[in-house]
Amino acid sequence: MQNAKPLVYLDANASEPIRESAMQAIITALKVTGNPSSVHTLGRKCYHLLEDARETLVSCFGGSVQNCIFTSGGTEADVLAVHGQIHQRPLWVGATEHPAILNISHSKFVLPVNDKGVIDLAYFENALQNTPIAPLVCLMYANNETGVIHPIQKVSELCQRYGALLHVDAVQAAGRIPVNLEHLGADSIAFSAHKMGGAKGAGLLLLNSRDHNAVSVLNPLFAGGGQEQNRRGGTQGLPTIVGMAVAAKEACNNHRKDIALMRDEIEIQMKKLGAVICGEEANRLDNTSCIAFAGIPAQKQFMALDMAGFCVSTGSACSSGKISQSQVLKAMGLENLAGCALRVSLPWNIKSEDISRFIDVYRHYIKTVI
């Protein structure tokens, strides 16, 4: 397998390619001198650019501009949501959460998922009924490895019934499926710019005060100079934030039917060779496929495809570049496949001819090692 053609990028869940509209918005904002906190003419220009971006993002994802907090990315938004809201509550996290949530604290209660990768709602409700202190529950909307979508609205209803708070990591979901703070009923939602086609280095935390006349209380990780209404100190990264707003608006307005068709074709062809599609029976993101061939190490598959010019992944990109067995698949009861699975995640600009070539190359490789 030789790399004779241009690289094909199939790792969108690690980072989407930047959108041209976002890049142009970033370049324009970079040319504006000043600090959004300054009160002179150029400072006010920066401030208006920042607030315009805030209004755009709220129009995409719900909430209010008063409760829209800019961060450096999805991980910071997750950590801020937990440390800012937990107070004396116990922390409950889904078994297939992102490392940004799983690694926040060793003192946590892990909520199991079923073999489809979906939270066990009956178990969850029983746990809520039998806990003396209502917890802070953290659950991602869509899993970064399998694309499996959790029933967040049902989880939210149970949380409200028993007095629990719900934080949702919507980093993978935003721009791929509808995400709205009020519709989901979450208390907070985290987003990341570069997963929507913006630049790395910007994120967003939306808070739901459930009282439109009040501003949600959130303990900051660091106070700084009082930016973001004293909830996230530090000068805002104006260019990346402006780019995030443009990318989010474009992503949320795009039609994605062709991506689902291409993902499905990959799975159809790989299943003919004996592949298992992890989480296949669950509701999933249209761009994500977790493909496992029992007995064929993921590392070998990855290296063969990489040498052939295809950028895929063996799991989360937030594990210091390591190739290791998937904790997500282990949580789903798929221990025998945890070291044999690749994640293929299609970017917004993928072409059908690239998918056809990928299928041909992957199919040829599997046939040589079966």
Side-chain angles (χ1 to χ4, degrees):
M1 298 171 70
Q2 297 180 350
N3 185 7
K5 294 186 178 181
L7 292 175
V8 176
Y9 186 74
L10 302 174
D11 198 17
N13 288 10
S15 187
E16 285 277 11
I18 192 166
R19 297 173 185 272
E20 182 63 28
S21 57
M23 187 182 297
Q24 293 305 316
I26 290 168
I27 292 171
T28 299
L30 281 169
K31 295 177 180 179
V32 180
T33 301
N35 188 313
S37 297
S38 298
V39 296
H40 50 61
T41 300
L42 286 177
R44 292 197 303 274
K45 184 174 182 178
C46 290
Y47 173 80
H48 288 307
L49 287 173
L50 187 74
E51 295 310 306
D52 286 346
R54 206 185 305 271
E55 290 180 4
T56 297
L57 288 159
V58 166
S59 71
C60 290
F61 303 122
S64 64
V65 292
Q66 294 84 3
N67 288 316
C68 173
I69 305 167
F70 292 126
T71 68
S72 63
T75 293
E76 186 192 338
D78 279 333
V79 175
L80 177 59
V82 173
H83 285 287
Q85 298 180 98
I86 195 165
H87 304 297
Q88 300 301 314
R89 294 174 181 266
L91 177 63
W92 291 13
V93 303
T96 57
E97 290 304 291
H98 188 277
I101 291 294
L102 285 176
N103 295 334
I104 284 178
S105 172
H106 293 294
S107 177
K108 56 182 176 287
F109 177 61
V110 179
L111 297 165
V113 297
N114 59 26
D115 59 358
K116 299 176 184 177
V118 180
I119 185 173
D120 186 328
L121 288 174
Y123 179 96
F124 179 56
E125 182 170 14
N126 183 66
L128 286 173
Q129 289 174 334
N130 291 284
T131 186
I133 303 175
L136 169 61
V137 178
C138 296
L139 198 66
M140 64 197 329
Y141 197 175
N143 187 264
N144 52 311
E145 292 188 33
T146 63
V148 168
I149 298 170
H150 285 300
I152 294 297
Q153 286 176 289
K154 293 180 180 178
V155 172
S156 174
E157 290 169 3
L158 291 172
C159 285
Q160 293 181 45
R161 184 182 306 169
Y162 295 100
L165 296 180
L166 175 62
H167 170 64
V168 173
D169 180 332
V171 166
Q172 295 294 344
R176 295 170 180 166
I177 58 175
V179 178
N180 181 274
L181 182 67
E182 289 83 11
H183 181 66
L184 293 177
D187 292 281
S188 57
I189 304 184
F191 303 85
S192 176
H194 73 105
K195 301 299 175 71
M196 297 183 282
K200 303 167 188 68
L204 174 69
L205 180 64
L206 288 180
L207 300 176
N208 190 344
S209 68
R210 306 198 189 284
D211 177 355
H212 297 295
N213 295 318
V215 174
S216 293
V217 175
L218 189 79
N219 294 327
L221 291 172
F222 41 92
Q227 292 90 348
E228 298 300 295
Q229 299 189 52
N230 295 304
R231 293 175 294 188
R232 198 279 184 182
T235 301
Q236 298 93 338
L238 181 62
T240 52
I241 288 171
V242 169
M244 174 168 60
V246 171
K249 185 175 182 180
E250 183 174 317
C252 291
N253 289 333
N254 276 0
H255 180 65
R256 296 175 59 88
K257 181 179 178 181
D258 289 344
I259 287 182
L261 293 174
M262 286 186 275
R263 190 278 308 271
D264 290 348
E265 183 61 22
I266 293 172
E267 294 184 350
I268 289 169
Q269 297 304 321
M270 293 306 107
K271 285 167 65 178
K272 290 179 180 178
L273 299 174
V276 174
I277 309 302
C278 304
E280 180 181 16
E281 296 180 359
N283 187 22
R284 291 180 295 151
L285 295 176
D286 59 8
N287 79 314
T288 306
S289 183
C290 184
I291 303 169
F293 283 96
I296 306 177
Q299 186 170 1
K300 289 186 177 180
Q301 297 180 55
F302 170 84
M303 291 175 64
L305 289 170
D306 189 46
M307 291 178 63
F310 297 98
C311 300
V312 296
S313 171
T314 59
S316 173
C318 298
S319 300
S320 301
K322 299 175 182 176
I323 296 179
S324 58
Q325 291 195 347
S326 169
Q327 295 301 312
V328 169
L329 300 191
K330 288 181 180 179
M332 294 167 63
L334 300 174
E335 291 89 348
N336 62 318
L337 298 177
C340 304
L342 290 184
R343 180 186 70 186
V344 177
S345 48
L346 310 188
W348 62 267
N349 60 351
I350 190 64
K351 296 180 175 62
S352 59
E353 54 265 33
D354 291 331
I355 295 300
S356 296
R357 184 158 66 89
F358 172 72
I359 290 172
D360 288 342
V361 171
Y362 198 8
R363 180 166 47 203
H364 175 74
Y365 167 72
I366 294 299
K367 286 182 177 180
T368 65
V369 296
I370 289 179

